[in-house]
Amino acid sequence: MEEANKSVVSEFIILGLCDSWELQAFFLVTFSSLYLITVLGNLFIVVIIITDLHLHSPMYFLLANLSFIDFCLSSVTTPKMITDFLKENKTISFGGCMCQIFFGHFFGGGEMVLLVSMAYDRYVAICKPLHYSSIMDRHMCIALVMTSWIIGFLHSVSQLALIVKLPFCGPRELDSFFCDIPLVIKLACMDTSILEILINADSGVLATICFILLLISYSHILFTVCLHSTDGASKALSTCTAHVTVVVLFFGPCIFIYLWPVSITWVDKFLAVFYAVITPLLNPAIYTLRNKEIKNAMKRLRC
């Protein structure tokens, strides 16, 4: 009888970033411009790496996949956020909410593993240069990319399986601009403390393993760089600096959003925007502005 009296939630109300129409108009123009630059920038990197034969190497193959994932990751939430700035009543269906969660963790988990693959590529190139071509062959590159997609998919499925069957009977307000597990799970009309531990453990294990592997790879690289000549060390360090910058920008918001025990609404919103909008925009800029080969490819494209 009690179950019959519960109304099943078919959609969630999104409160968005703010209530002010003036600020929403500003955000509409700003985020529309940023999203357009993100899409064009990441797709440009993919196209230029595919079309330029000088960039057909393992490092750029992995970079093209990173740009594609960044394009997909930004497209999970940003278009919906932009269109919601035009609406007074911002809602998302239950199915749409689950899709955002699934694809957000799919591409996010895949990018974590891909960043580890890129660190491994740099480790082999710098620490084992004589064996680089034999280790990082075509089959290894494809295997690394496929592994990132598979792990991202398994991670996403495991996250979604824990919440998709939860009873949602109100309230149904999400104080953010998109659906994410920490916010959605709080709306379930049951005790979710154990589920929250399992979900955080799932995300935490993947993030921690990836982060440890990244630390090991770059520690070995730094140690090797210190033993080499100044010119070689400078070039290697410049390449790795771009990689480390991307790693910090990606993992920083993830740690605070999913593992930080204290939840502050405006901080969570800022980090969510940074993770969903800013990071996919900065990745192509970081790699292209510091990369001579891509700059040369752009010059050849103009000719």
Side-chain angles (χ1 to χ4, degrees):
M1 187 70 178
E2 182 181 350
E3 294 293 327
N5 291 332
K6 291 183 177 180
S7 58
V8 179
V9 171
S10 59
E11 64 179 16
F12 296 102
I13 297 172
I14 297 176
L15 299 183
L17 294 178
C18 63
D19 296 324
S20 168
W21 279 106
E22 290 78 10
L23 273 178
Q24 290 191 59
F26 171 75
F27 287 148
L28 173 64
V29 176
T30 302
F31 289 128
S32 296
S33 302
L34 291 177
Y35 179 64
L36 180 62
I37 296 171
T38 299
V39 170
L40 294 178
N42 281 293
L43 291 182
F44 175 74
I45 290 180
V46 173
V47 171
I48 200 170
I49 290 175
I50 291 174
T51 56
D52 195 309
L53 296 178
H54 297 86
L55 300 180
H56 287 189
S57 65
M59 183 179 79
Y60 293 108
F61 175 73
L62 296 174
L63 176 57
N65 279 275
L66 177 67
S67 293
F68 180 71
I69 288 182
D70 277 330
F71 158 69
C72 295
L73 186 61
S74 66
S75 299
V76 172
T77 57
T78 310
K80 169 66 176 169
M81 175 182 66
I82 292 171
T83 57
D84 279 345
F85 287 134
L86 300 171
K87 301 176 183 177
E88 183 175 358
N89 298 317
K90 304 172 179 60
T91 61
I92 185 170
S93 67
F94 179 82
C97 185
M98 294 301 109
C99 283
Q100 278 196 343
I101 291 173
F102 175 80
F103 287 108
H105 284 267
F106 176 38
F107 296 123
E111 181 159 341
M112 284 186 188
V113 181
L114 187 61
L115 288 172
V116 175
S117 300
M118 296 177 72
Y120 175 71
D121 170 72
R122 292 300 83 204
Y123 163 75
V124 176
I126 296 171
C127 301
K128 299 182 179 181
L130 298 179
H131 302 284
Y132 181 74
S133 58
S134 61
I135 295 175
M136 294 300 297
D137 58 8
R138 181 184 180 88
H139 297 292
M140 175 60 77
C141 291
I142 294 174
L144 289 173
V145 171
M146 289 301 297
T147 299
S148 68
W149 286 105
I150 291 170
I151 292 179
F153 177 77
L154 294 176
H155 166 67
S156 184
V157 168
S158 65
Q159 294 276 291
L160 193 65
L162 292 173
I163 67 164
V164 70
K165 293 298 183 180
L166 287 178
F168 295 99
C169 50
R172 57 194 182 103
E173 291 184 344
L174 295 171
D175 194 4
S176 184
F177 62 92
F178 73 109
C179 285
D180 201 9
I181 291 179
L183 297 173
V184 174
I185 198 171
K186 293 178 182 178
L187 302 182
C189 47
M190 62 172 286
D191 182 15
T192 58
S193 55
I194 297 177
L195 276 180
E196 288 180 38
I197 294 173
L198 290 175
I199 288 170
N200 288 334
D202 187 347
S203 296
V205 167
L206 178 61
T208 302
I209 290 175
C210 289
F211 197 66
I212 290 174
L213 291 175
L214 287 166
L215 286 177
I216 293 173
S217 296
Y218 287 118
S219 297
H220 276 284
I221 291 171
L222 184 61
F223 178 75
T224 303
V225 164
C226 292
L227 300 178
H228 280 65
S229 64
T230 305
D231 293 337
S234 176
K235 183 178 179 181
L237 196 59
S238 176
T239 303
C240 289
T241 300
H243 286 231
V244 172
T245 303
V246 170
V247 168
V248 172
L249 290 175
F250 184 81
F251 278 89
C254 288
I255 291 172
F256 277 91
I257 291 173
Y258 294 103
L259 301 179
W260 196 253
V262 180
S263 178
I264 304 174
T265 301
W266 73 267
V267 174
D268 290 341
K269 288 184 179 182
F270 170 78
L271 292 173
V273 168
F274 193 89
Y275 174 76
V277 180
I278 307 300
T279 301
L281 169 67
L282 290 179
N283 284 356
I286 290 169
Y287 282 111
T288 53
L289 294 177
R290 299 180 60 91
N291 193 292
K292 290 183 179 179
E293 285 78 6
I294 289 186
K295 288 180 181 178
N296 292 334
M298 292 169 66
K299 292 177 182 177
R300 288 191 293 270
L301 189 65
R302 287 198 295 267
C303 296

